Amino acid sequence: MSTKPSVLFVCVHNAGRSQMAQGFLTHLAGDAIEVRSAGSAPGDALNPAAVEAMAEVGIDITSQAPKILTPDAVETSTVVITMGCGDACPYFPGVDYRDWKLEDPAGKGVEAVRPIRDEIRTRIEKLVAELIPA
């Protein structure tokens, strides 16, 4: 079993917030943290405004696709960060659950998604500092 921390980002559609968070954490932490995302009711495709907002900061998330949340993904995570999925997340003892209250970018243009992206980046930078002590 790996000793490196594992972070799972969860939102309903796994098309916007959780994908941006996964993109930032992968970009900032590299191989030091295992990063995954999933949704309780995954969408058909990534939110185009989220893809565009991330591209503006040099992060390409187009290789990702919405994925279904599985109990195994939760159980094997060090930290599970929910972004509005509420009761859809299964609970396992020993997993660190956190809820990030973030505006849902669904149906919004890139102008509205940028502040959400920037808030996610700020939270990810704090998470990296916590999980990978300098």
Side-chain angles (χ1 to χ4, degrees), residues 18-104:
S18 56
Q19 293 286 356
M20 289 190 287
Q22 180 177 0
F24 274 128
L25 188 51
T26 301
H27 179 75
L28 295 171
D31 293 336
I33 298 175
E34 180 188 4
V35 187
R36 295 171 294 173
S37 69
S40 51
D44 296 327
L46 296 184
N47 177 330
V51 171
E52 183 178 343
M54 292 300 286
E56 289 177 353
V57 295
I59 299 174
D60 180 4
I61 61 171
T62 57
S63 65
Q64 295 298 319
K67 293 168 286 304
I68 187 72
L69 176 66
T70 64
D72 183 60
V74 176
E75 189 174 23
T76 58
S77 297
T78 311
V79 180
V80 173
I81 297 173
T82 58
M83 301 173 168
C85 79
D87 298 332
C89 297
Y91 177 78
F92 291 95
V95 176
D96 180 359
Y97 291 87
R98 303 175 190 193
D99 185 41
W100 287 0
K101 296 193 180 340
L102 296 163
E103 192 176 340
D104 188 348

Coordinates of all heavy atoms in Angstrom, one line a residue, residues 18-104:
S18 N -14.8 19.7 -9.0 CA -13.9 18.7 -8.6 C -12.8 18.4 -9.7 O -11.7 18.1 -9.4 CB -14.7 17.4 -8.4 OG -15.4 17.0 -9.5
Q19 N -13.1 18.7 -10.9 CA -12.1 18.5 -12.0 C -11.1 19.6 -11.9 O -9.9 19.4 -12.1 CB -12.8 18.5 -13.4 CG -13.7 17.3 -13.6 CD -12.9 16.0 -13.9 OE1 -11.7 16.0 -14.0 NE2 -13.6 14.9 -14.0
M20 N -11.5 20.9 -11.6 CA -10.6 22.0 -11.5 C -9.6 21.7 -10.3 O -8.4 21.9 -10.4 CB -11.3 23.3 -11.3 CG -12.0 23.8 -12.6 SD -12.6 25.5 -12.5 CE -14.0 25.3 -11.5
A21 N -10.2 21.2 -9.2 CA -9.4 20.9 -8.0 C -8.4 19.8 -8.3 O -7.2 19.9 -7.9 CB -10.4 20.5 -6.8
Q22 N -8.9 18.8 -9.0 CA -7.9 17.7 -9.4 C -6.8 18.2 -10.2 O -5.7 17.9 -10.0 CB -8.7 16.6 -10.1 CG -7.8 15.4 -10.5 CD -8.6 14.3 -11.2 OE1 -9.8 14.3 -11.3 NE2 -7.8 13.2 -11.5
G23 N -7.2 19.1 -11.2 CA -6.1 19.7 -12.1 C -5.1 20.5 -11.3 O -3.9 20.4 -11.5
F24 N -5.6 21.3 -10.4 CA -4.7 22.1 -9.6 C -3.8 21.3 -8.7 O -2.6 21.5 -8.6 CB -5.4 23.1 -8.7 CG -5.7 24.4 -9.4 CD1 -7.0 25.0 -9.4 CD2 -4.7 25.2 -10.0 CE1 -7.3 26.2 -10.0 CE2 -5.0 26.4 -10.6 CZ -6.3 26.9 -10.6
L25 N -4.4 20.3 -8.0 CA -3.6 19.5 -7.1 C -2.5 18.7 -7.8 O -1.4 18.6 -7.4 CB -4.5 18.6 -6.2 CG -3.8 17.8 -5.1 CD1 -2.9 18.7 -4.2 CD2 -4.8 17.1 -4.2
T26 N -2.9 18.1 -9.0 CA -2.0 17.4 -9.8 C -0.8 18.3 -10.2 O 0.4 17.9 -10.2 CB -2.7 16.7 -11.0 OG1 -3.7 15.9 -10.5 CG2 -1.7 15.9 -11.9
H27 N -1.2 19.5 -10.7 CA -0.2 20.5 -11.1 C 0.8 20.9 -10.0 O 2.0 21.0 -10.2 CB -1.0 21.7 -11.7 CG -0.1 22.8 -12.2 ND1 0.6 22.7 -13.4 CD2 0.2 24.0 -11.7 CE1 1.3 23.8 -13.6 NE2 1.1 24.6 -12.6
L28 N 0.2 21.2 -8.8 CA 1.0 21.7 -7.8 C 1.8 20.6 -7.0 O 2.9 20.9 -6.4 CB 0.1 22.5 -6.8 CG -0.5 23.8 -7.4 CD1 -1.5 24.4 -6.5 CD2 0.6 24.8 -7.8
A29 N 1.2 19.4 -6.8 CA 1.9 18.4 -6.0 C 2.6 17.3 -6.8 O 3.4 16.6 -6.2 CB 0.8 17.7 -5.1
G30 N 2.4 17.3 -8.1 CA 3.0 16.3 -8.9 C 2.7 14.9 -8.4 O 1.6 14.6 -8.2
D31 N 3.8 14.0 -8.3 CA 3.6 12.7 -7.8 C 3.5 12.5 -6.3 O 3.4 11.4 -5.8 CB 4.7 11.8 -8.4 CG 4.7 11.7 -9.9 OD1 3.6 11.9 -10.5 OD2 5.7 11.4 -10.5
A32 N 3.6 13.6 -5.6 CA 3.7 13.5 -4.1 C 2.3 13.1 -3.5 O 2.3 12.6 -2.4 CB 4.2 14.8 -3.5
I33 N 1.2 13.4 -4.2 CA -0.1 13.1 -3.7 C -0.9 12.4 -4.8 O -0.9 12.8 -6.0 CB -0.9 14.4 -3.3 CG1 -0.1 15.1 -2.2 CG2 -2.3 14.1 -2.9 CD1 -0.7 16.5 -1.8
E34 N -1.6 11.3 -4.4 CA -2.5 10.6 -5.4 C -3.7 11.5 -5.5 O -4.3 11.8 -4.4 CB -2.8 9.2 -4.9 CG -3.7 8.5 -5.9 CD -4.2 7.1 -5.4 OE1 -3.9 6.8 -4.3 OE2 -4.9 6.5 -6.2
V35 N -4.2 11.8 -6.7 CA -5.3 12.7 -6.8 C -6.4 12.0 -7.7 O -6.1 11.5 -8.8 CB -4.9 14.0 -7.5 CG1 -6.1 15.0 -7.5 CG2 -3.7 14.6 -6.8
R36 N -7.6 12.1 -7.2 CA -8.8 11.5 -8.0 C -10.0 12.4 -7.8 O -10.0 13.2 -6.8 CB -9.1 10.1 -7.5 CG -8.0 9.1 -7.7 CD -8.3 7.8 -7.1 NE -8.2 8.0 -5.6 CZ -8.6 7.0 -4.7 NH1 -9.0 5.9 -5.1 NH2 -8.5 7.3 -3.4
S37 N -10.9 12.3 -8.7 CA -12.2 13.0 -8.5 C -13.3 12.1 -9.0 O -13.1 11.2 -9.8 CB -12.2 14.3 -9.3 OG -12.2 14.1 -10.7
A38 N -14.5 12.3 -8.5 CA -15.7 11.5 -8.9 C -16.9 12.3 -8.6 O -16.9 13.3 -7.9 CB -15.7 10.2 -8.1
G39 N -18.1 11.8 -9.1 CA -19.3 12.5 -8.9 C -20.4 11.5 -8.5 O -20.4 10.3 -8.9
S40 N -21.4 11.9 -7.7 CA -22.5 11.0 -7.3 C -23.4 10.8 -8.5 O -24.1 9.8 -8.5 CB -23.2 11.6 -6.1 OG -23.5 13.0 -6.3
A41 N -23.5 11.8 -9.4 CA -24.3 11.6 -10.6 C -23.5 12.3 -11.7 O -23.8 13.4 -12.1 CB -25.7 12.3 -10.4
P42 N -22.5 11.6 -12.2 CA -21.6 12.2 -13.2 C -22.3 12.8 -14.4 O -23.2 12.1 -14.9 CB -20.6 11.1 -13.6 CG -20.8 10.0 -12.5 CD -22.2 10.2 -12.0
G43 N -21.8 13.9 -14.9 CA -22.3 14.5 -16.1 C -21.8 13.7 -17.4 O -21.0 12.8 -17.2
D44 N -22.2 14.2 -18.5 CA -21.8 13.6 -19.8 C -20.4 14.0 -20.2 O -19.7 13.3 -20.9 CB -22.8 13.9 -20.9 CG -24.2 13.2 -20.6 OD1 -24.2 12.2 -20.0 OD2 -25.2 13.9 -21.0
A45 N -20.0 15.2 -19.8 CA -18.8 15.8 -20.3 C -18.3 16.9 -19.3 O -19.1 17.3 -18.4 CB -18.9 16.4 -21.6
L46 N -17.1 17.3 -19.4 CA -16.6 18.4 -18.6 C -17.3 19.7 -18.9 O -17.7 19.9 -20.0 CB -15.1 18.6 -18.8 CG -14.2 17.4 -18.4 CD1 -12.7 17.9 -18.5 CD2 -14.4 17.0 -16.9
N47 N -17.4 20.6 -17.9 CA -18.0 21.9 -18.1 C -17.0 22.7 -19.0 O -15.8 22.9 -18.6 CB -18.1 22.6 -16.7 CG -18.6 24.0 -16.8 OD1 -18.4 24.7 -17.7 ND2 -19.4 24.4 -15.7
P48 N -17.4 23.1 -20.2 CA -16.5 23.9 -21.1 C -15.9 25.1 -20.5 O -14.8 25.5 -20.7 CB -17.4 24.2 -22.3 CG -18.6 23.4 -22.2 CD -18.8 23.0 -20.7
A49 N -16.7 25.8 -19.6 CA -16.2 27.0 -19.0 C -15.1 26.7 -18.0 O -14.1 27.4 -17.8 CB -17.3 27.8 -18.3
A50 N -15.2 25.5 -17.3 CA -14.2 25.1 -16.4 C -12.9 24.7 -17.1 O -11.8 25.1 -16.7 CB -14.7 23.9 -15.6
V51 N -13.1 24.1 -18.3 CA -11.9 23.7 -19.1 C -11.2 25.0 -19.6 O -10.0 25.1 -19.5 CB -12.4 22.9 -20.3 CG1 -11.2 22.7 -21.3 CG2 -12.9 21.5 -19.9
E52 N -12.0 26.0 -20.0 CA -11.4 27.2 -20.5 C -10.7 28.0 -19.4 O -9.6 28.5 -19.5 CB -12.5 28.1 -21.1 CG -12.0 29.4 -21.7 CD -13.1 30.2 -22.4 OE1 -14.2 29.7 -22.7 OE2 -12.8 31.4 -22.6
A53 N -11.4 28.1 -18.2 CA -10.8 28.8 -17.1 C -9.5 28.2 -16.6 O -8.5 28.9 -16.3 CB -11.8 28.8 -15.9
M54 N -9.4 26.8 -16.7 CA -8.1 26.2 -16.3 C -7.0 26.4 -17.4 O -5.9 26.6 -17.0 CB -8.4 24.7 -16.1 CG -9.2 24.4 -14.8 SD -8.5 25.0 -13.3 CE -7.2 23.8 -13.0
A55 N -7.4 26.4 -18.6 CA -6.5 26.6 -19.7 C -5.9 28.0 -19.6 O -4.7 28.2 -19.9 CB -7.2 26.4 -21.1
E56 N -6.6 29.0 -19.1 CA -6.1 30.3 -18.9 C -4.9 30.4 -17.9 O -4.1 31.3 -18.0 CB -7.2 31.2 -18.4 CG -8.3 31.6 -19.5 CD -9.4 32.4 -18.9 OE1 -9.5 32.7 -17.7 OE2 -10.2 32.8 -19.7
V57 N -4.9 29.4 -17.0 CA -3.8 29.4 -16.0 C -2.8 28.3 -16.4 O -2.0 27.8 -15.5 CB -4.3 29.3 -14.6 CG1 -5.1 30.5 -14.2 CG2 -5.1 28.0 -14.4
G58 N -2.9 27.8 -17.6 CA -1.9 26.8 -18.1 C -2.1 25.4 -17.7 O -1.2 24.6 -17.7
I59 N -3.3 25.0 -17.3 CA -3.6 23.6 -16.8 C -4.6 23.0 -17.8 O -5.7 23.6 -17.9 CB -4.0 23.6 -15.4 CG1 -2.9 24.1 -14.5 CG2 -4.4 22.1 -15.0 CD1 -3.3 24.2 -13.0
D60 N -4.3 21.9 -18.4 CA -5.2 21.3 -19.4 C -5.9 20.1 -18.7 O -5.2 19.2 -18.2 CB -4.3 20.7 -20.6 CG -5.2 20.0 -21.6 OD1 -6.4 20.0 -21.5 OD2 -4.6 19.4 -22.5
I61 N -7.2 20.2 -18.5 CA -7.9 19.1 -17.9 C -8.8 18.3 -18.9 O -9.6 17.5 -18.6 CB -8.8 19.6 -16.8 CG1 -9.9 20.7 -17.2 CG2 -8.0 20.2 -15.6 CD1 -10.9 21.0 -16.2
T62 N -8.5 18.5 -20.2 CA -9.3 17.9 -21.3 C -9.2 16.4 -21.3 O -10.0 15.7 -21.9 CB -9.1 18.5 -22.7 OG1 -7.7 18.3 -22.9 CG2 -9.4 20.0 -22.7
S63 N -8.1 15.8 -20.7 CA -8.0 14.4 -20.7 C -8.8 13.7 -19.7 O -9.0 12.5 -19.7 CB -6.5 14.0 -20.5 OG -6.1 14.4 -19.2
Q64 N -9.5 14.5 -18.8 CA -10.3 13.9 -17.8 C -11.8 13.8 -18.3 O -12.2 14.4 -19.3 CB -10.3 14.9 -16.5 CG -9.0 15.0 -15.9 CD -8.5 13.7 -15.3 OE1 -9.3 12.9 -14.8 NE2 -7.2 13.4 -15.5
A65 N -12.5 12.9 -17.6 CA -13.9 12.7 -17.9 C -14.7 12.5 -16.6 O -14.1 12.0 -15.6 CB -14.1 11.5 -18.8
P66 N -15.9 12.9 -16.5 CA -16.7 12.6 -15.3 C -16.7 11.1 -14.9 O -16.9 10.3 -15.8 CB -18.1 13.1 -15.6 CG -17.9 14.2 -16.7 CD -16.7 13.7 -17.5
K67 N -16.5 10.8 -13.7 CA -16.5 9.4 -13.2 C -17.5 9.2 -12.0 O -17.7 10.1 -11.3 CB -15.1 9.1 -12.7 CG -14.0 9.0 -13.8 CD -12.6 9.0 -13.3 CE -12.1 10.2 -12.7 NZ -12.1 11.4 -13.5
I68 N -18.0 8.0 -11.9 CA -19.0 7.7 -10.8 C -18.2 7.5 -9.5 O -17.1 6.9 -9.5 CB -19.8 6.5 -11.2 CG1 -20.9 6.2 -10.1 CG2 -19.0 5.2 -11.3 CD1 -22.0 7.2 -10.2
L69 N -18.8 8.0 -8.5 CA -18.2 7.9 -7.1 C -18.5 6.4 -6.7 O -19.6 5.9 -6.7 CB -19.0 8.8 -6.2 CG -18.6 8.7 -4.7 CD1 -17.1 9.2 -4.5 CD2 -19.5 9.6 -3.9
T70 N -17.4 5.8 -6.2 CA -17.5 4.4 -5.7 C -17.1 4.4 -4.2 O -16.2 5.1 -3.8 CB -16.6 3.4 -6.5 OG1 -15.2 3.8 -6.3 CG2 -16.9 3.4 -8.0
P71 N -17.7 3.5 -3.4 CA -17.2 3.3 -2.0 C -15.7 3.0 -1.9 O -15.1 3.6 -1.0 CB -18.1 2.1 -1.5 CG -19.3 2.2 -2.4 CD -18.8 2.6 -3.8
D72 N -15.2 2.3 -2.8 CA -13.7 2.0 -2.8 C -12.9 3.2 -2.9 O -11.9 3.4 -2.2 CB -13.4 0.9 -3.9 CG -11.9 0.5 -3.8 OD1 -11.5 0.0 -2.8 OD2 -11.2 0.8 -4.8
A73 N -13.3 4.1 -3.8 CA -12.5 5.3 -4.0 C -12.5 6.2 -2.7 O -11.5 6.8 -2.4 CB -13.1 6.2 -5.2
V74 N -13.6 6.2 -2.0 CA -13.7 6.9 -0.7 C -12.8 6.2 0.3 O -12.0 6.8 1.0 CB -15.2 7.0 -0.2 CG1 -15.2 7.7 1.1 CG2 -16.0 7.8 -1.3
E75 N -13.0 4.9 0.5 CA -12.4 4.1 1.5 C -10.8 4.2 1.4 O -10.1 4.2 2.4 CB -12.8 2.7 1.5 CG -12.4 1.9 2.7 CD -13.0 0.5 2.7 OE1 -13.4 0.0 1.6 OE2 -13.0 -0.1 3.8
T76 N -10.3 4.3 0.2 CA -8.9 4.3 0.0 C -8.3 5.7 -0.1 O -7.1 5.8 -0.4 CB -8.5 3.5 -1.3 OG1 -9.2 4.2 -2.4 CG2 -8.9 2.1 -1.3
S77 N -9.0 6.7 0.3 CA -8.5 8.0 0.3 C -8.1 8.5 1.7 O -8.7 8.1 2.7 CB -9.6 9.0 -0.2 OG -9.9 8.7 -1.5
T78 N -7.1 9.3 1.8 CA -6.7 9.9 3.0 C -7.6 11.1 3.4 O -8.1 11.2 4.5 CB -5.2 10.5 2.9 OG1 -4.4 9.5 2.3 CG2 -4.7 11.0 4.2
V79 N -7.9 11.9 2.4 CA -8.8 13.1 2.5 C -9.8 13.0 1.4 O -9.5 12.8 0.2 CB -8.0 14.4 2.4 CG1 -8.9 15.6 2.6 CG2 -6.9 14.5 3.4
V80 N -11.1 13.2 1.8 CA -12.2 13.3 0.8 C -12.8 14.7 1.0 O -13.2 15.1 2.0 CB -13.3 12.2 1.1 CG1 -14.5 12.5 0.2 CG2 -12.8 10.8 0.9
I81 N -12.7 15.4 -0.1 CA -13.2 16.8 -0.1 C -14.5 16.9 -1.0 O -14.5 16.6 -2.2 CB -12.2 17.8 -0.7 CG1 -11.0 17.8 0.3 CG2 -12.7 19.2 -0.8 CD1 -9.8 18.5 -0.2
T82 N -15.6 17.1 -0.3 CA -16.9 17.2 -1.0 C -17.1 18.7 -1.4 O -16.7 19.6 -0.7 CB -18.0 16.7 -0.2 OG1 -18.1 17.4 1.1 CG2 -17.8 15.2 0.1
M83 N -17.8 18.9 -2.5 CA -18.1 20.2 -3.0 C -19.6 20.3 -3.3 O -20.0 20.5 -4.4 CB -17.3 20.4 -4.3 CG -15.8 20.4 -4.0 SD -14.8 20.5 -5.5 CE -13.2 20.7 -4.8
G84 N -20.4 19.9 -2.3 CA -21.8 20.0 -2.4 C -22.5 18.7 -2.8 O -23.6 18.8 -3.3
C85 N -21.9 17.6 -2.5 CA -22.6 16.3 -2.8 C -23.5 15.8 -1.7 O -24.2 14.8 -1.8 CB -21.7 15.2 -3.3 SG -20.8 14.4 -2.1
G86 N -23.4 16.5 -0.5 CA -24.3 16.2 0.6 C -24.2 14.7 1.1 O -23.1 14.2 1.3
D87 N -25.3 14.1 1.2 CA -25.4 12.8 1.7 C -25.0 11.7 0.8 O -25.0 10.5 1.1 CB -26.8 12.5 2.2 CG -27.3 13.4 3.3 OD1 -26.4 13.9 4.0 OD2 -28.5 13.7 3.4
A88 N -24.6 12.0 -0.5 CA -24.2 11.0 -1.4 C -22.9 10.3 -1.2 O -22.6 9.3 -1.7 CB -24.2 11.6 -2.8
C89 N -22.1 10.9 -0.3 CA -20.8 10.3 0.0 C -20.8 9.3 1.1 O -21.3 9.5 2.2 CB -19.8 11.4 0.4 SG -19.6 12.7 -0.8
P90 N -20.4 8.1 0.8 CA -20.3 7.0 1.8 C -19.3 7.4 2.9 O -18.3 8.0 2.6 CB -19.9 5.8 1.1 CG -19.4 6.2 -0.2 CD -19.9 7.6 -0.5
Y91 N -19.6 7.0 4.2 CA -18.7 7.3 5.3 C -17.9 6.1 5.7 O -18.4 5.0 5.8 CB -19.6 7.7 6.5 CG -18.7 8.0 7.7 CD1 -18.0 9.2 7.8 CD2 -18.5 7.0 8.7 CE1 -17.1 9.4 8.9 CE2 -17.7 7.3 9.7 CZ -17.0 8.5 9.8 OH -16.1 8.7 10.9
F92 N -16.6 6.3 5.9 CA -15.7 5.3 6.3 C -14.9 5.8 7.5 O -14.3 6.9 7.4 CB -14.8 4.8 5.2 CG -15.5 4.0 4.2 CD1 -15.9 4.6 3.0 CD2 -15.7 2.7 4.3 CE1 -16.5 4.0 2.0 CE2 -16.4 2.0 3.3 CZ -16.8 2.6 2.1
P93 N -14.8 5.1 8.6 CA -13.9 5.6 9.7 C -12.5 5.7 9.3 O -12.0 4.9 8.4 CB -14.0 4.4 10.7 CG -15.2 3.6 10.3 CD -15.4 3.8 8.9
G94 N -11.8 6.7 9.8 CA -10.4 6.9 9.4 C -10.2 7.8 8.2 O -9.0 8.2 8.0
V95 N -11.2 8.1 7.5 CA -11.1 9.0 6.3 C -11.4 10.4 6.8 O -12.3 10.7 7.5 CB -12.0 8.6 5.2 CG1 -11.9 9.6 4.0 CG2 -11.7 7.2 4.7
D96 N -10.5 11.4 6.4 CA -10.7 12.8 6.8 C -11.6 13.4 5.7 O -11.3 13.6 4.6 CB -9.3 13.5 6.7 CG -9.3 14.9 7.1 OD1 -10.4 15.5 7.3 OD2 -8.3 15.5 7.1
Y97 N -12.9 13.8 6.2 CA -13.8 14.4 5.3 C -13.8 15.9 5.5 O -13.8 16.4 6.6 CB -15.3 13.9 5.6 CG -15.5 12.4 5.2 CD1 -15.2 11.4 6.2 CD2 -16.0 12.1 4.0 CE1 -15.3 10.1 5.8 CE2 -16.2 10.8 3.7 CZ -15.8 9.8 4.6 OH -16.0 8.4 4.3
R98 N -13.9 16.6 4.4 CA -14.0 18.1 4.4 C -15.0 18.5 3.4 O -15.0 18.0 2.3 CB -12.6 18.7 4.1 CG -11.5 18.2 5.1 CD -10.2 18.7 4.7 NE -9.1 18.1 5.5 CZ -7.9 18.5 5.5 NH1 -7.5 19.5 4.8 NH2 -7.0 17.8 6.2
D99 N -15.7 19.6 3.7 CA -16.7 20.1 2.8 C -16.3 21.5 2.4 O -16.2 22.4 3.3 CB -18.1 20.1 3.4 CG -19.2 20.5 2.4 OD1 -19.1 20.1 1.2 OD2 -20.1 21.3 2.7
W100 N -16.0 21.7 1.1 CA -15.7 23.0 0.6 C -16.9 23.6 0.0 O -17.4 23.1 -1.0 CB -14.6 22.9 -0.4 CG -13.2 22.6 0.1 CD1 -12.9 22.4 1.4 CD2 -12.0 22.5 -0.6 NE1 -11.5 22.2 1.5 CE2 -11.0 22.2 0.3 CE3 -11.7 22.6 -2.0 CZ2 -9.6 22.0 -0.1 CZ3 -10.4 22.4 -2.4 CH2 -9.4 22.1 -1.5
K101 N -17.5 24.7 0.6 CA -18.7 25.3 0.0 C -18.2 26.2 -1.1 O -17.6 27.3 -0.9 CB -19.4 26.0 1.1 CG -19.9 25.1 2.2 CD -20.9 25.7 3.1 CE -21.4 24.8 4.2 NZ -21.3 23.4 4.0
L102 N -18.4 25.7 -2.3 CA -18.0 26.5 -3.5 C -19.2 26.6 -4.4 O -20.0 25.7 -4.6 CB -16.9 25.7 -4.3 CG -15.6 25.6 -3.6 CD1 -14.8 24.5 -4.2 CD2 -14.9 26.9 -3.6
E103 N -19.3 27.8 -5.1 CA -20.4 28.0 -6.0 C -20.3 27.0 -7.2 O -19.2 26.6 -7.6 CB -20.3 29.4 -6.6 CG -21.5 29.9 -7.3 CD -21.4 31.3 -7.8 OE1 -20.6 32.1 -7.2 OE2 -22.1 31.7 -8.7
D104 N -21.5 26.5 -7.6 CA -21.5 25.5 -8.7 C -21.3 26.3 -10.1 O -22.1 27.2 -10.4 CB -22.8 24.8 -8.7 CG -22.9 23.6 -9.7 OD1 -22.0 23.5 -10.5 OD2 -23.8 22.8 -9.6

